[in-house]
Amino acid sequence: MAQNIVEKILKDHLKAGEYVIGKEIGIRIDQTLTQDATGTMAFLQFEALGLDKVKTDLSLSYVDHNTVQIGFENNDDHAYLQSVTQKFGVVHSRAGNGICHQVHLERFGKPGTTLLGSDSHTTTGGGIGQLAIGAGGLDIAVAMGGGNFYTLCPKVYKVNLTGQLRPWVTAKDIVLKMLSILSTKGNVGVILEYGGEGVKTLSVPQRATIANMGAEMGVTTSIFPSDENTRRFLKAQQRESDWIGLEADPRAEYERVLDIDLAQLDPLAACPHSPGNIKTVKELAGLKVDQVCIGSCTNSSYRDMTAVGEILDGSVVQRGISLGIAPGSRQVLQMITRNGALLKMINAGARILESACGFCIGNHFSPGSHGISLRTSNRNFEGRSGTQTAEIYLVSPEIAALSAISGRVTSPEDTHMPYPAVAEPEAFTIDDSLFIFPFETDKDIPILRGPNIGAPPKNDPLPPHIAGEVMLKLGDNITTDHIMPAGPRLKYRSNIETYARYVFEHMDAGFSQRCLINKKAQRHNILVAGESYGQGSSREHAAMCPMYLGVKMVLVKSIERIHAANLVNFGILPLVFNDPGDYDRITAGDFLEVNAARTALESPDSICVVNKTQNFTMEASCQISHRQRKILLAGGLLNHTRLQ
Ligand code: MIC
Ligand code: SF4
């Protein structure tokens, strides 16, 4: 039977379940990646599983998120990761080597294989024809131990690209166009497979930009064929032997087909405060800008950076604008040093930032109050930049660079500058000296645990009855950045007791205190929210810290894939209203009850929730698999795995 690319890879990796769309399947994972902000917990949990070595073909640990190092905490994390990875047979990419997704694409991504990463933008690997999925750290720990990864057998949408991009229209605009079609919600259980003649006009880094921001649509991942462009990229990375050809069979079937004519696209921008809020750059032209940030795992390749250098060449950044540029990897930085693009940036007055996540995660470079910041990254959630009142617009590197010179959002029609077409290099600079490759003899290496390294928190099995107060009633599109802020709090990722103080920090400063008081008095805490709860990051801390605070249940209109899995992994009951109208009948502070919660899970489509305060009942469902039900009953995946 004719197969699409997704089917080919999934069937080749199928370990549990049947290949039936919408049903849960377990797949073998060939490669894993972790980064420092989620990796410390992933490895602490791996240690708790009691295994002596990772069982994947290749596991990577990157240090790229917490490199600001104000105080001892980040450095403690790096030292822990360097030692723990050597002990367990994991390759470690040291701080300074670059952003995990960019570096992984350059040096390790392999077409036709599976990659699971504790970061939602692991999907970037789809650009090289890898089935690359983001998940919570505990899922990665299990996969590193050789366990299957469980996910819904996906609905596959084909994105049929035709034509060719016009000058100044970029890969970023293709994915922003996709966001304008599919939006940021309602795409749970979907994989996007790109195909059509237009694909041939896109290089691997351009495809990676598109696959990267699939995460913003909430799809499981996106994937491109592996073709001659892929082979050329791998050859230029001295990895041609990693290439295999991969394409859909001619009559492969898809759940849906979306057609995009590349020649019809315009430069686009995602406006505050959602990656799905799309306008054309032309519509925004003239808007005064305060800051421009170029980089992040979406747009920091050699090609992007060289184009930026060309645009900035001979100009100086407009007064009043701060331009920060973070090349995506040490390889990119080395190459733009050699080709002169870096000097052009420096001459233009750009502030050259470390090859790391930096501004993207609000680690530094926060805009001023009410500042307007143009960024090439993938998320513009309110407050994520570190400034609650800032307004972030997401654009291509080319538009960002043009606007940094003029001080206003600039549409290419308003300049006479020729478009800087940059060719992919024949050979990338290969220097793997910042990777630490483990040796057999590293088994006895001591693990370094500074005071910032805590332990994974423990949880009890799911209680027989859940009864508690609605501690917070939230609206639609609550992101994991709302739940568990990053920025200056990132350094507490390895220390749950401290990090938990900041849950919902910017929405309700007293939240964690109130929860802890209830927990002490043995009362449960409950959260109520609207559509698309838990969008964004894969950070399992957005479930782990609420668990630590005694949150036992969330009741929402809909929930995003990674966060839903994380809630189950940490023993929190995820319930979805059967009638979304019931959401309006609940007030914060109401007392809710689910009687006989453990047995109620046996009829997961109609679980009765009683509102004791207002005296009415509602029905909700718990859309999880049989396997997940056991995890939930055990109080989370760690307990469940130990029981087994
Ligand atoms: C993000 O972009 O939000 C992050 C920071 O990379 C997260 C991971 C994290 O929270 O550590 C992600 O995308 O999963
Ligand atoms: Fe890092 Fe930003 Fe990419 Fe997340 S989205 S991995 S914070 S660069």
Side-chain angles (χ1 to χ4, degrees):
M1 215 184 82
Q3 292 184 325
N4 57 45
I5 298 175
V6 174
E7 261 178 293
K8 288 185 185 184
I9 302 182
L10 283 178
K11 285 188 178 163
D12 189 39
H13 288 77
L14 193 66
K15 297 292 271 184
E18 261 183 280
Y19 199 91
V20 176
I21 294 175
K23 291 261 184 284
E24 189 180 71
I25 51 172
I27 57 168
R28 186 181 81 243
I29 294 300
D30 302 318
Q31 300 187 345
T32 64
L33 73 76
T34 54
Q35 37 89 338
D36 51 312
T38 54
T40 49
M41 265 303 147
F43 280 101
L44 285 163
Q45 294 173 121
F46 183 80
E47 285 190 74
L49 294 177
L51 300 166
D52 55 2
K53 208 171 178 321
V54 293
K55 298 210 165 75
T56 46
D57 293 350
L58 182 71
S59 284
L60 258 296
S61 145
Y62 293 93
V63 176
D64 54 359
H65 279 61
N66 289 325
T67 53
V68 178
Q69 292 166 239
I70 299 174
F72 62 90
E73 292 90 345
N74 296 166
N75 205 73
D76 276 9
D77 288 355
H78 303 175
Y80 167 73
L81 285 171
Q82 198 159 313
S83 58
V84 81
T85 51
Q86 264 174 283
K87 186 176 172 92
F88 291 122
V90 173
V91 183
H92 183 75
S93 170
R94 293 161 63 188
N97 212 23
I99 305 174
C100 53
H101 309 304
Q102 174 66 27
V103 179
H104 203 83
L105 192 78
E106 292 167 356
R107 305 303 302 137
F108 301 104
K110 238 174 149 172
T113 63
T114 53
L115 165 69
L116 193 71
S118 60
D119 191 285
S120 61
H121 293 105
T122 302
T123 58
T124 313
I128 206 164
Q130 188 165 40
L131 197 88
I133 302 178
L138 187 45
D139 283 334
I140 313 304
V142 169
M144 287 195 291
N148 297 335
F149 173 65
Y150 291 88
T151 186
L152 290 185
C153 181
K155 291 184 246 171
V156 183
Y157 293 0
K158 176 170 182 180
V159 188
N160 188 38
L161 303 180
T162 52
Q164 192 162 0
L165 294 171
R166 292 176 297 131
W168 297 104
V169 187
T170 68
K172 180 64 154 272
D173 304 306
I174 303 177
V175 72
L176 293 180
K177 177 70 185 177
M178 284 298 296
L179 271 151
S180 76
I181 300 170
L182 288 182
S183 87
T184 57
K185 49 184 186 231
N187 305 309
V188 174
V190 170
I191 294 187
L192 301 176
E193 182 174 312
Y194 287 83
E197 285 300 299
V199 163
K200 295 196 185 125
T201 67
L202 301 172
S203 66
V204 166
Q206 287 175 304
R207 296 174 188 183
T209 293
I210 298 169
N212 174 282
M213 283 192 79
E216 277 49 71
M217 292 169 234
V219 297
T220 305
T221 190
S222 310
I223 192 163
F224 280 82
S226 171
D227 57 8
E228 282 309 311
N229 289 0
T230 322
R231 188 207 287 261
R232 215 169 299 127
F233 176 81
L234 282 168
K235 187 169 178 214
Q237 292 284 356
Q238 290 180 16
R239 302 204 284 125
E240 195 178 0
S241 59
D242 283 344
W243 184 81
I244 57 156
L246 192 62
E247 59 180 359
D249 294 334
R251 270 177 293 283
E253 290 180 8
Y254 296 90
E255 195 75 13
R256 187 172 162 190
V257 178
L258 296 124
D259 287 299
I260 295 193
D261 179 356
L262 301 181
Q264 297 296 319
L265 297 181
D266 291 309
L268 297 173
C271 304
H273 296 287
S274 166
N277 188 8
I278 308 295
K279 286 202 172 132
T280 60
V281 168
K282 207 169 166 185
E283 283 174 273
L284 299 171
L287 177 74
K288 195 179 161 312
V289 175
D290 303 297
Q291 181 193 65
V292 177
C293 301
I294 302 178
S296 93
C297 58
T298 317
N299 276 120
S300 59
S301 65
Y302 165 82
R303 196 205 144 273
D304 287 339
M305 291 293 148
T306 304
V308 167
E310 285 305 305
I311 295 169
L312 294 177
D313 191 17
S315 303
V316 172
V317 170
Q318 192 56 236
R319 273 189 211 181
I321 292 229
S322 205
L323 167 65
I325 303 182
S329 67
R330 182 162 165 264
Q331 180 184 77
V332 173
L333 190 51
Q334 285 167 331
M335 290 180 71
I336 62 168
T337 306
R338 294 209 175 97
N339 77 4
L342 182 64
L343 186 62
K344 292 172 185 165
M345 295 171 181
I346 297 171
N347 288 348
R351 296 166 62 185
I352 307 301
L353 309 173
E354 192 175 2
S355 289
C357 297
F359 69 80
C360 175
I361 184 66
N363 246 346
H364 64 179
F365 238 75
S366 299
S369 4
H370 302 283
I372 299 215
S373 179
L374 231 55
R375 298 180 166 210
T376 65
S377 42
N378 45 41
R379 291 187 172 142
N380 57 350
F381 304 147
E382 190 171 10
R384 179 177 161 101
S385 65
T387 304
Q388 284 300 317
T389 55
E391 310 232 312
I392 314 295
Y393 292 78
L394 306 176
V395 294
S396 68
E398 287 85 339
I399 299 299
L402 278 181
S403 308
I405 300 171
S406 68
R408 297 183 179 270
V409 174
T410 301
S411 176
E413 291 124 332
D414 302 333
T415 93
H416 298 295
M417 194 178 289
Y419 179 63
V422 178
E424 280 298 312
E426 291 294 315
F428 289 94
T429 301
I430 309 299
D431 173 358
D432 288 338
S433 57
L434 277 195
F435 293 107
I436 302 176
F437 293 92
F439 295 104
E440 273 305 311
T441 47
D442 288 342
K443 279 199 302 287
D444 299 324
I445 203 156
I447 299 181
L448 303 176
R449 292 177 213 276
N452 194 43
I453 308 297
K458 296 205 166 64
N459 195 28
D460 296 327
L462 192 77
H465 302 286
I466 295 181
E469 193 184 327
V470 175
M471 299 304 284
L472 207 51
K473 184 179 174 190
L474 302 141
D476 292 342
N477 301 324
I478 294 298
T479 71
T480 48
D481 278 277
H482 289 114
I483 306 171
M484 210 51 270
R489 308 302 181 203
L490 255 187
K491 63 183 186 178
Y492 302 124
R493 284 285 177 91
S494 317
N495 194 321
I496 298 309
E497 196 184 328
T498 312
Y499 200 29
R501 287 183 205 148
Y502 305 108
V503 177
F504 288 117
E505 183 188 9
H506 299 295
M507 308 197 81
D508 177 353
F511 178 80
S512 73
Q513 264 310 322
R514 295 199 323 274
C515 284
L516 283 175
I517 293 170
N518 270 352
K519 185 183 173 189
K520 217 164 160 198
Q522 304 207 323
R523 289 191 299 264
H524 300 149
N525 296 314
I526 293 173
L527 291 168
V528 170
E531 298 284 3
S532 192
Y533 183 67
Q535 303 190 357
S537 150
S538 68
R539 63 191 72 152
E540 61 189 348
H541 299 76
M544 192 192 285
C545 292
M547 171 194 96
Y548 177 82
L549 296 178
V551 172
K552 290 288 174 202
M553 171 174 126
V554 302
L555 178 58
V556 299
K557 288 190 193 168
S558 65
I559 187 159
E560 289 303 317
R561 173 187 70 89
I562 305 181
H563 190 58
N566 283 338
L567 288 172
V568 172
N569 282 354
F570 291 94
I572 298 177
L573 179 64
L575 290 187
V576 175
F577 291 105
N578 283 0
D579 174 1
D582 284 336
Y583 168 88
D584 299 318
R585 301 166 74 195
I586 301 177
T587 309
D590 284 359
F591 199 85
L592 306 187
E593 261 185 25
V594 176
N595 285 315
R598 296 178 67 89
T599 23
L601 282 173
E602 280 158 25
S603 351
D605 294 334
S606 55
I607 296 176
C608 178
V609 183
V610 186
N611 187 326
K612 298 288 272 186
T613 311
Q614 301 196 48
N615 202 15
F616 66 88
T617 61
M618 301 164 273
E619 291 225 319
S621 34
C622 184
Q623 296 154 345
I624 60 176
S625 68
H626 182 66
R627 181 192 61 89
Q628 286 182 304
R629 196 184 312 160
K630 287 200 242 158
I631 295 175
L632 198 55
L633 291 175
L637 183 56
L638 217 46
N639 290 356
H640 174 74
T641 313
R642 279 208 199 95
L643 280 177
Q644 299 213 309

